[in-house]
Amino acid sequence: MVMKRFVDTVVNVSLFAILFIAMQLVAVMAVRVLPVGDDSELVRLVAYTISMLLTLVVVKWYMRKSGVERVVMRKASGLNPIVILSGVVIIIALSVLLSPLNELLPADSREFGDSAWTLIMVVAVAPIFEEILFRGLLYNLLRVTCPPFVAVLISSILFGVIHLEPTVIVEGVLVGLLFSYVYLRTKSILAPITLHVCNNIVAYALAILSYQEMPLLESVNGDAYFAYIYSGCALVVVVTLAVIVRFFIKYRGGIAETIESQNVERV
């Protein structure tokens, strides 16, 4: 039984990766024949939207064929301001903690335009699609064949990997764990979507203002200040990870529990 679950998990992860890559290629080909003009940022938005829509449709079809319920939880608790504010603080602390990676790993080479199309894609479109796909669908697909934390870990790793850039991958995996935690804790996809929006707003603002080129140490005027800030952020992240691990040690929820929960909607 254990071996079968392991094999099924590997198959599901492999098929998801293949489907995701295939849909990206299909979207790129589709954009080439669409009348989107010469606006490269509009082309990027159209390509991204098409690829994610196709991926969602195909993954949902595969889940239906596999007999897995397709659920996305939308309880109002996901918009709790305390939860959102706490999540934003944790995201900022994580960014500070990982800042030394900028000197150890290749720099983020992504380029963001300052047009409305890029803003829409980064701040609005991406968080919605990615959270529904990785938290709402992929987690529930994996949860059928492996424990909750393993399903969360795998979905978070894949979430980080799709961003391709080394520094973003590391942060994406850790942020994915946080998003998964708040998703299951609040029983609402609205929480990770909102946090994802906040995270992307900060990242986009830093990219446009070119602050990502400024070492954090210089921005806080001195080693002493940086040491205090870094230590505080490290403490926040360590405590958060401990809370997440503790939660999953006790958590036994899965597809059956999710379907029976109140205020759960199928998509």
Side-chain angles (χ1 to χ4, degrees):
M1 179 63 71
V2 174
M3 179 58 67
K4 183 179 184 303
R5 286 177 174 269
F6 174 78
V7 172
D8 288 343
T9 299
V10 172
V11 170
N12 286 336
V13 171
S14 300
L15 286 176
F16 176 85
I18 293 172
L19 290 174
F20 187 87
I21 295 173
M23 293 306 100
Q24 306 301 307
L25 296 176
V26 169
V28 170
M29 296 174 62
V31 167
R32 290 183 177 180
V33 300
L34 291 177
V36 294
D38 298 326
D39 191 332
S40 61
E41 295 184 15
L42 175 58
V43 171
R44 184 183 299 181
L45 172 60
V46 173
Y48 179 84
T49 302
I50 292 176
S51 66
M52 294 305 288
L53 280 173
L54 289 173
T55 304
L56 286 175
V57 170
V58 175
V59 170
K60 288 166 67 174
W61 172 82
Y62 174 71
M63 292 176 70
R64 183 186 299 116
K65 287 294 184 180
S66 303
V68 179
E69 291 288 349
R70 300 164 293 126
V71 295
V72 174
M73 300 180 284
R74 300 188 182 92
K75 291 184 67 175
S77 57
L79 296 178
N80 186 320
I82 297 178
V83 173
I84 302 303
L85 180 59
S86 300
V88 170
V89 171
I90 294 169
I91 289 172
I92 294 174
L94 180 61
S95 297
V96 174
L97 183 65
L98 296 179
S99 59
L101 289 179
N102 294 327
E103 299 179 1
L104 300 176
L105 297 175
D108 186 354
S109 62
R110 295 178 301 171
E111 295 182 359
F112 293 100
D114 56 0
S115 74
W117 299 122
T118 300
L119 182 63
I120 291 172
M121 180 179 73
V122 173
V123 175
V125 178
I128 294 174
F129 276 128
E130 292 178 6
E131 292 310 310
I132 291 177
L133 179 61
F134 287 92
R135 253 58 69 179
L137 297 181
L138 180 59
Y139 166 78
N140 286 302
L141 174 63
L142 295 175
R143 180 61 189 92
V144 175
T145 58
C146 55
F149 185 70
V150 176
V152 163
L153 186 60
I154 294 175
S155 63
S156 298
I157 291 174
L158 290 176
F159 172 69
V161 168
I162 68 165
H163 292 87
L164 301 179
E165 299 289 343
T167 55
V168 184
I169 289 175
V170 175
E171 185 171 1
V173 172
L174 296 176
V175 169
L177 292 175
L178 174 63
F179 291 167
S180 298
Y181 168 74
V182 297
Y183 169 63
L184 296 174
R185 187 76 180 187
T186 63
K187 297 187 183 299
S188 173
I189 197 67
L190 298 178
I193 287 177
T194 304
L195 287 177
H196 200 150
V197 168
C198 294
N199 178 74
N200 285 13
I201 288 176
V202 173
Y204 182 76
L206 292 178
I208 294 301
L209 296 174
S210 299
Y211 284 166
Q212 75 275 21
E213 302 296 334
M214 180 188 301
L216 183 64
L217 186 61
E218 295 180 9
S219 66
V220 293
N221 296 319
D223 294 344
Y225 290 106
F226 177 75
Y228 292 137
I229 293 174
Y230 194 84
S231 298
C233 291
L235 179 61
V236 169
V237 173
V238 169
V239 171
T240 300
L241 289 176
V243 170
I244 292 176
V245 171
R246 183 174 180 272
F247 171 78
F248 281 106
I249 289 176
K250 296 183 177 181
Y251 184 72
R252 294 292 181 271
I255 292 296
E257 178 180 309
T258 298
I259 295 172
E260 295 172 359
S261 297
Q262 189 176 8
N263 293 328
V264 170
E265 299 183 20
R266 302 183 183 184
V267 297

